[in-house]
Amino acid sequence: FLRKEAKHFSIKRLTMKIAALLLTVGSAVAFTGPKASSVKTSISATKDEILSSPNTIEFGKIWDPLGLSELGSDETIAWFRHSEVKHGRVCMAAFVGWWAVAAGSHFPGQLSYGVDFESLPTKGLEAWDAVPGWGKAQMLIFAGLIEFHDELFASTRGTHYMRGGTPGKNHVPGLYDPLGFANGKSDEAKARGRDVEIKNGRLAMIGMAGLYCASVIPGSVPLQPDC
């Protein structure tokens, strides 16, 4: 029994170290602004062009109380927009996943050896806690590999979003729009789709923040059901 517990403890410690390392690297990538380059580069979209979409009919103007859009150069604003689109996509997926678990929906089969999907709790954070440590590490590693290869392919196989490319465009083959729904669409339709995605992503980020706060601080979100 003691040997089994010691082995479990060592695996848990290793998993925590891997997760901490990935979070440290990911945080450095996500929150470190672009470095200034001594080589003059061109960018196809200026700050004003990037901020011109999506429209601002909800507030009548760009909602930027902290003045973040005034920081840095055109490349900085392109980096901000790229980060916004990515965080929005993650939160849209997370919100749907949280809702599905809360509704009692589960994948068939086993999450890992001896752990059925059906056995997972229906509350978001409790379901995450029930995932074995190695499973959490695999998800973090997978997300890190996607981020790494997206930056790599953007620089080597396409035009980087800070060097004239489209902020938010995915460069990992087969990851985004694998069925090719965007193929054949006009530039105007694609532009509208990007605007809709940004707005839906913003709403999803607010939604995920609400779900998380309601879970860790009971009663902090009015009318929020327990999920």
Side-chain angles (χ1 to χ4, degrees), residues 86 89 142-154 157 169-178:
K86 281 194 171 184
R89 289 171 180 167
F142 181 67
L145 289 174
I146 291 176
E147 181 68 17
F148 172 78
H149 284 92
D150 188 43
E151 290 291 323
L152 177 64
F153 293 153
R157 299 184 180 182
K169 183 178 179 179
N170 169 70
H171 293 273
V172 179
L175 178 65
Y176 191 71
D177 193 19

Side-chain angles (χ1 to χ4, degrees), residues 62-192:
I62 296 175
W63 192 75
D64 184 22
L66 299 180
L68 298 179
S69 61
E70 302 302 322
L71 300 176
S73 60
D74 294 342
E75 286 84 354
T76 304
I77 300 303
W79 183 81
F80 282 164
R81 173 53 54 86
H82 188 77
S83 299
E84 179 185 30
V85 173
K86 281 194 171 184
H87 284 83
R89 289 171 180 167
V90 170
C91 285
M92 284 189 281
F95 190 91
V96 172
W98 193 302
W99 169 85
V101 171
S105 300
H106 296 288
F107 288 113
Q110 292 185 330
L111 173 64
S112 65
Y113 182 76
V115 180
D116 294 328
F117 279 106
E118 289 289 342
S119 68
L120 295 179
T122 57
K123 295 183 179 180
L125 293 183
E126 292 181 8
W128 171 254
D129 290 338
V131 176
W134 279 115
K136 296 176 182 177
Q138 289 175 30
M139 285 187 276
L140 292 171
I141 292 172
F142 181 67
L145 289 174
I146 291 176
E147 181 68 17
F148 172 78
H149 284 92
D150 188 43
E151 290 291 323
L152 177 64
F153 293 153
S155 301
T156 59
R157 299 184 180 182
T159 304
H160 197 273
Y161 54 89
M162 289 175 57
R163 298 294 181 266
T166 302
K169 183 178 179 179
N170 169 70
H171 293 273
V172 179
L175 178 65
Y176 191 71
D177 193 19
L179 300 180
F181 289 115
N183 295 342
K185 288 188 176 182
S186 65
D187 293 338
E188 291 77 10
K190 290 180 180 179
R192 182 185 180 280

Side-chain angles (χ1 to χ4, degrees), residues 6-54:
K7 181 179 180 181
H8 175 74
F9 181 71
S10 61
I11 292 176
K12 185 175 182 181
R13 288 188 61 187
L14 178 60
T15 302
M16 293 177 64
K17 289 181 179 179
I18 294 175
L21 176 61
L22 288 170
L23 289 174
T24 301
V25 174
S27 299
V29 173
F31 296 103
T32 301
K35 296 181 179 180
S37 174
S38 58
V39 180
K40 180 68 174 179
T41 58
S42 61
I43 185 169
S44 61
T46 64
K47 177 170 65 175
D48 292 336
E49 291 171 336
I50 294 174
L51 295 177
S52 65
S53 66

